[in-house]
């Protein structure tokens, strides 16, 4: 598995180059909706509680500190969008590419023959939004890779395909 740290961007289903690059697959918009809803669910009550509690117990001028969680909400909203657009993956003949990151860009290459376990997980919030994640485990402990926020059908398809390719590649070793 390799990682890089050069700048890059991803959005939608992108094909790099003229047929020579990988066919990138973007994450579904449900992941962005889920993350933004969680941001609002945590920061709006925190903003209100900060303003009310400081205003009542310390004094009205201190209620202005409620602007801090609100500012975090206003900053986090577009940042979540940028992060979501940066995630993408591509299935190639011999390996799986996962690209992510805005400020620190990282590209992970997982050879099919090195995969030991591919699992699909979905917590209660992910299930509510109809999402699942694919976790790839390899022989090296530090090289596990993950693709979050996939539709369950795509996660299962990817798990089955990666498992099949992993078995075929490892049998040839």
């Amino acid at each position: 598995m390799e990682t890089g740290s050069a700048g890059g961007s991803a959005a939608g289903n992108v094909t790099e180059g003229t047929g020579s690059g990988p066919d990138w697959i973007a994450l579904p918009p449900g992941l962005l909706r889920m993350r933004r809803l969680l941001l609002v669910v945590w920061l709006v009550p925190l903003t209100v509680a900060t303003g009310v509690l400081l205003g009542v117990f310390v004094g009205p001028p201190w209620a202005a500190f409620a602007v801090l969680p609100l500012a975090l909400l206003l900053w986090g909203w577009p940042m979540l969008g940028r992060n979501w657009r940066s995630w993408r993956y591509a299935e190639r003949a011999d390996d799986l590419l996962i690209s992510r990151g805005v400020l620190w860009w990282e590209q992970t290459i997982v050879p099919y023959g090195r995969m030991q376990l591919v699992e699909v997980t979905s917590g209660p919030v992910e299930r509510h939004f109809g999402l699942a994640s694919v976790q790839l485990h390899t022989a090296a402990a530090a090289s596990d890779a993950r693709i979050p926020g996939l539709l369950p059908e795509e996660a299962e398809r990817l798990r089955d395909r990666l498992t099949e390719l992993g078995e075929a590649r490892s049998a040839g070793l």
Side-chain angles (χ1 to χ4, degrees), residues 8-28:
S9 66
N13 293 337
V14 180
T15 302
E16 292 186 355
T18 55
S20 61
D23 290 331
W24 291 103
I25 301 169
L27 299 182

Side-chain angles (χ1 to χ4, degrees), residues 15-96:
T15 302
E16 292 186 355
T18 55
S20 61
D23 290 331
W24 291 103
I25 301 169
L27 299 182
L31 179 65
L32 179 60
R33 281 192 299 273
M34 179 188 76
R35 288 180 174 174
R36 283 183 170 167
L37 178 65
L38 290 173
L39 182 74
V40 169
V41 163
W42 283 103
L43 291 179
V44 167
L46 182 62
T47 301
V48 172
T50 301
V52 169
L53 292 175
L54 287 176
V56 169
F57 292 113
V58 182
W62 288 91
F65 278 101
V67 170
L68 295 176
L70 183 61
L72 186 60
L73 173 69
L74 296 174
W75 175 80
W77 191 272
M79 291 300 110
L80 286 173
R82 290 182 64 193
N83 179 268
W84 170 75
R85 283 188 299 278
S86 76
W87 276 87
R88 60 188 182 162
Y89 66 97
E91 299 172 60
R92 296 194 306 182
D94 296 319
D95 50 35
L96 177 73

